[in-house]
Amino acid sequence: MKLQVLPLETFKPHVEDESQLSFGKQFTDRMFVMNYKTGQGWHNARIQPYQPFSLDPAAMVLHYAQEIFEGLKAFRRPDGQIALFRPMDNFRRFNFSARRMCMPEVDEAFMLQALKELVRLEVDWIPHSEGTSLYIRPALIASEPMLGVRPADEYLCYMILCPVGAYYKGGLAPVKIWISDHYVRAAHGGTGEVKTGGNYAASLYAAREAAEKGYDQVLWLDAKEKKYVEEVGSMNLCFIMDGKLVTSPLHGTILDGITRRSVLALARDMGLEIEERALSVDEIFAGAENGRITEAFGAGTAVVVSPVGQFTYQDRTVVLGDGKTTGEVTQKLYDTLIGIQCGQLPDPHGWVDLL
Ligand SMILES: *Cc1c(COP(=O)(O)O)cnc(C)c1O
């Protein structure tokens, strides 16, 4: 397929002070868009000025949430090179999500080529300061106007970019996590392993309740027994227990995070044993109290690695360490991952794709 590049007439002002960059509020000048129609396939792939879509009020995505997305980052390295981190993993997962939601798959190699072209054109938007990056959001939505429940016959696939600031300004800061004993995120056979907006819509109520109580994130338990750890917000959760890294297995209800995959590989490189197994709330509380669990952290593209300071379940709270200091393994995994992404460390797994 040909990629058309349409002219850009107006330019938006950039955020001058990079310490003022927030997450997901400012977008660059251009975006990638392509259309799909049953019988015609994908067509009209273009890089065009960033602008609102004109969608029919009956567009199926607005009613039945046939939608998927991805999230990845581009980094500006000290030597000026631009690096994408494991982008093909994201496009493969995009197609995995598309299949589950009965949406047309995309050509992964073409998507990567289009993304690289878009990032090249928008290269001035990639911030320079340490810890900053360009966040990339590919999405696929059902645009056909029809109020019947079935897979749509028309879709829009697009990619938008936003410069994002350093998530941690004064070093990694441990978060407080509320374990939900009532709301669940995903059940077996559902869409928990799919990156689809509906999962997030369903999570808002519990997240708001947790925020009102002063917690940063909700930890979801399994839907069946409400006993075992699943994941947190948009992060997979890992524990350092008896010197091993313990994390939930990919059994269909949690997202197969690319940061999770990367962290497991790095932990293995560091000589840690990995256990992908069910971990219960009881085990977390006992382990944190008797010192078997020394660290816990979330792993996801937006934050990279986010240390957990404490867990609360019903009326019990357990603090890891002093609740304020990032654990040694967590810090090392964070530093290693960032080091590979930004080019300060070698890339033994071949994760970095330079523009
Ligand atoms: C995106 C996402 C993650 C993290 O995945 P990464 O590929 O590491 O960014 C974890 N959980 C959920 C529910 C997500 O949507």
Side-chain angles (χ1 to χ4, degrees):
M1 195 172 9
K2 250 192 73 203
L3 178 64
Q4 212 191 341
V5 178
L6 303 176
L8 183 67
E9 263 127 44
T10 56
F11 294 85
K12 298 181 212 171
H14 289 221
V15 173
E16 293 298 334
D17 179 359
E18 291 186 352
S19 70
Q20 297 303 101
L21 283 171
S22 52
F23 185 88
K25 288 192 183 153
Q26 205 199 6
F27 300 93
T28 70
D29 291 312
R30 296 173 178 90
M31 62 182 186
F32 165 85
V33 190
M34 65 177 178
N35 299 67
Y36 180 93
K37 202 167 182 156
T38 301
Q40 201 178 347
W42 287 111
H43 59 279
N44 196 11
R46 67 229 183 243
I47 290 174
Q48 61 159 72
Y50 186 102
Q51 63 185 49
F53 290 126
S54 158
L55 276 183
D56 193 287
M60 292 167 89
V61 62
L62 302 176
H63 302 269
Y64 311 119
Q66 200 189 6
E67 185 268 358
I68 59 165
F69 65 96
E70 270 302 325
L72 67 158
K73 282 176 174 173
F75 303 87
R76 184 188 294 282
R77 297 179 159 203
D79 65 2
Q81 282 193 297
I82 307 301
L84 295 169
F85 187 71
R86 308 187 75 169
M88 278 309 267
D89 289 45
N90 289 91
F91 291 123
R92 261 179 237 125
R93 190 171 65 190
F94 197 60
N95 274 340
F96 171 82
S97 297
R99 285 192 291 274
R100 176 63 177 83
M101 304 306 277
C102 301
M103 304 174 95
E105 289 182 45
V106 295
D107 179 331
E108 293 159 11
F110 176 76
M111 288 295 283
L112 179 58
Q113 183 207 326
L115 173 60
K116 285 183 172 177
E117 186 59 33
L118 177 62
V119 173
R120 257 181 232 121
L121 287 165
E122 299 293 68
V123 74
D124 289 344
W125 281 96
I126 309 179
H128 294 74
S129 325
E130 202 181 319
T132 61
S133 57
L134 186 74
Y135 184 79
I136 300 155
R137 169 54 57 89
L140 172 53
I141 61 172
S143 53
E144 183 194 357
M146 220 285 277
L147 294 184
V149 181
R150 59 148 172 80
D153 279 326
E154 286 168 38
Y155 297 87
L156 281 173
C157 175
Y158 60 97
M159 293 191 267
I160 53 177
L161 312 175
C162 46
V164 296
Y167 194 85
Y168 300 105
K169 291 193 171 109
L172 293 180
V175 294
K176 289 159 83 173
I177 288 196
W178 184 60
I179 305 177
S180 172
D181 66 348
H182 179 69
Y183 302 105
V184 294
R185 179 181 168 275
H188 281 284
T191 57
E193 62 183 342
V194 179
K195 217 165 170 72
T196 184
N199 290 337
Y200 281 86
S203 76
L204 296 175
Y205 197 91
R208 185 175 63 186
E209 223 173 74
E212 281 166 4
K213 291 180 210 271
Y215 299 97
D216 302 298
Q217 295 272 356
V218 175
L219 164 54
W220 304 100
L221 298 180
D222 74 284
K224 197 169 172 197
E225 297 185 62
K226 296 213 186 115
K227 203 169 143 189
Y228 300 102
V229 172
E230 294 265 295
E231 62 178 319
V232 173
S234 55
M235 298 186 291
N236 295 108
L237 197 56
C238 300
F239 294 82
I240 304 300
M241 184 174 193
D242 300 328
K244 298 176 194 165
L245 191 154
V246 183
T247 193
S248 317
L250 302 173
H251 49 201
T253 57
I254 67 168
L255 204 86
D256 179 0
I258 293 159
T259 316
R260 175 188 183 278
R261 275 182 220 167
S262 308
V263 158
L264 295 193
L266 294 177
R268 231 174 247 126
D269 294 349
M270 285 160 52
L272 288 188
E273 206 176 301
I274 311 293
E275 274 183 12
E276 292 180 67
R277 65 165 176 93
L279 186 77
S280 68
V281 175
D282 288 345
E283 252 189 297
I284 296 179
F285 274 79
E289 278 157 10
N290 65 25
R292 287 182 63 198
I293 293 180
T294 47
E295 302 178 35
F297 62 87
T301 295
V303 298
V304 187
V305 159
S306 175
V308 177
Q310 64 174 68
F311 291 100
T312 297
Y313 179 70
Q314 294 169 344
D315 53 6
R316 292 172 68 199
T317 291
V318 74
V319 177
L320 291 173
D322 63 2
K324 296 188 186 72
T325 316
T326 299
E328 207 180 309
V329 181
T330 307
Q331 185 71 50
K332 189 160 178 213
L333 287 167
Y334 176 80
D335 292 341
T336 309
L337 200 45
I338 291 277
I340 294 172
Q341 291 172 334
C342 298
Q344 281 99 349
L345 291 176
D347 173 27
H349 298 278
W351 288 335
V352 169
D353 192 337
L354 293 175
L355 232 59

